């Protein structure tokens, strides 16, 4: 689904480096999310944003920061990458209707920290 | 704390077998419930969702799920699986408590269907 795009799709970096993962959406949704997926742990929420001026920490925000540059863009930064941040990262948007909140995921970014 | 449990981590079935994947959540308030599917090499996509009304929800590709409030469960079912159903399945719950919003995923169940 090209409505939610992520760049880069794959990245290998070294410990201590600063990394930025970018997410863009054309769905017009206000809500955006960053998750990481680890085998056996499912998806865990890192940060979420309900609109451009609203940023919230998720379950595992330590070591990460985000920026909501516009309704359509939500970036995730690792200020100083460490090996245990090696994971698959997903961006998502959602169309909260006041009743239900379906998420639409991007293709993911596979990050390896050496 | 709110949580979502998927007790089956790996399931292997032959084609045409029936499928039931368990999902239990811990939250006493109003919840919305979802099943997402992740096919190999692809991103997650919605399979079905429940937010109110008929507790038996039908989704895409012949999947259905039943919300049983008394059991805090939302199990996913399919009468006859196909090889193309090989994927990882995630149950998710959204809930609001004390003004805090949560979207919680289970750890996933990896289904392999043998041709």
């Amino acid at each position: 689904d090209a409505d939610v795009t992520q760049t880069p799709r794959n990245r290998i970096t070294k410990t201590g480096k600063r990394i930025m993962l970018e997410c863009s959406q054309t769905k017009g949704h206000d809500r955006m999310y960053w998750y990481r997926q680890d085998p056996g742990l499912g998806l865990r929420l890192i940060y979420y944003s309900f609109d451009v001026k609203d940023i919230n920490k998720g379950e595992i925000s330590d070591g990460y920061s985000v920026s909501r540059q516009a309704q359509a863009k939500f970036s995730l930064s690792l200020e100083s990458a460490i090996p245990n941040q090696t994971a698959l990262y997903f961006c998502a948007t959602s169309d909260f209707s006041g009743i239900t909140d379906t998420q639409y995921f991007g293709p993911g970014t596979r990050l390896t920290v050496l | 704390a709110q949580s979502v449990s998927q007790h089956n981590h790996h399931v292997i079935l032959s084609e045409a077998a029936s499928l039931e994947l368990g999902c239990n959540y811990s939250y006493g308030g109003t919840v919305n419930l979802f099943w997402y599917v992740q096919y190999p090499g692809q991103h997650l996509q919605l399979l079905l969702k429940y937010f109110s009304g008929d507790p038996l929800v039908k989704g895409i590709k012949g999947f259905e799920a039943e919300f049983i409030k008394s059991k805090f469960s939302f199990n996913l079912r399919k009468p006859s699986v196909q090889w193309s159903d090989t994927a990882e399945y995630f149950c998710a719950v959204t809930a609001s408590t004390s003004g805090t919003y949560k979207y919680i995923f289970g750890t996933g169940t990896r289904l392999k269907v043998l041709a």
Side-chain angles (χ1 to χ4, degrees):
Chain A
D1 188 336
D3 295 327
V4 184
T5 57
Q6 293 182 234
T7 56
R9 295 294 310 279
N10 288 281
R11 181 72 184 269
I12 300 174
T13 191
K14 295 182 179 180
T15 297
K17 293 291 188 181
R18 184 178 188 275
I19 296 296
M20 179 179 284
L21 309 182
E22 299 190 356
C23 176
S24 295
Q25 54 118 344
T26 59
K27 300 189 79 69
H29 293 162
D30 287 327
R31 296 187 170 196
M32 297 188 74
Y33 309 78
W34 275 104
Y35 293 90
R36 63 176 281 176
Q37 184 181 23
D38 299 276
L41 296 178
L43 276 77
R44 292 181 292 168
L45 184 61
I46 306 172
Y47 270 95
Y48 62 99
S49 169
F50 283 176
D51 64 40
V52 174
K53 297 181 180 180
D54 178 75
I55 304 288
N56 302 282
K57 292 183 177 181
E59 182 184 353
I60 52 163
S61 58
D62 287 349
Y64 301 94
S65 62
V66 291
S67 172
R68 184 82 184 266
Q69 301 94 325
Q71 186 204 39
K73 295 184 182 296
F74 192 37
S75 300
L76 176 72
S77 293
L78 288 68
E79 297 301 325
S80 180
I82 56 177
N84 76 2
Q85 291 178 312
T86 293
L88 186 57
Y89 289 84
F90 285 102
C91 174
T93 72
S94 71
D95 60 346
F96 182 64
S97 64
I99 298 173
T100 186
D101 199 355
T102 298
Q103 303 225 328
Y104 300 86
F105 287 84
T109 295
R110 188 167 295 281
L111 176 66
T112 303
V113 183
L114 302 176
Chain B
Q2 293 82 18
S3 66
V4 177
S5 298
Q6 293 182 244
H7 304 295
N8 312 104
H9 300 296
H10 291 89
V11 174
I12 301 175
L13 295 172
S14 298
E15 274 194 315
S18 64
L19 170 72
E20 181 161 2
L21 302 182
C23 174
N24 289 91
Y25 64 94
S26 63
Y27 181 68
T30 301
V31 296
N32 292 340
L33 298 154
F34 304 79
W35 276 97
Y36 288 87
V37 60
Q38 186 178 28
Y39 297 104
Q42 297 187 26
H43 58 279
L44 279 81
Q45 54 188 289
L46 181 69
L47 204 53
L48 48 79
K49 64 183 177 184
Y50 170 83
F51 56 94
S52 67
D54 189 343
L56 184 62
V57 180
K58 294 191 184 299
I60 61 172
K61 304 186 180 184
F63 286 91
E64 65 178 31
E66 185 175 12
F67 171 52
I68 302 179
K69 189 174 181 179
S70 61
K71 294 185 178 181
F72 297 89
S73 70
F74 190 55
N75 292 355
L76 180 71
R77 300 195 293 250
K78 186 171 183 178
S80 176
V81 295
Q82 301 173 310
W83 177 80
S84 58
D85 293 324
T86 294
E88 191 160 15
Y89 293 81
F90 293 91
C91 182
V93 172
T94 61
S96 294
T97 176
S98 303
T100 301
Y101 171 86
K102 289 185 181 293
Y103 208 121
I104 305 168
F105 282 84
T107 54
T109 297
R110 200 175 288 272
L111 171 66
K112 184 171 184 177
V113 180
L114 304 175

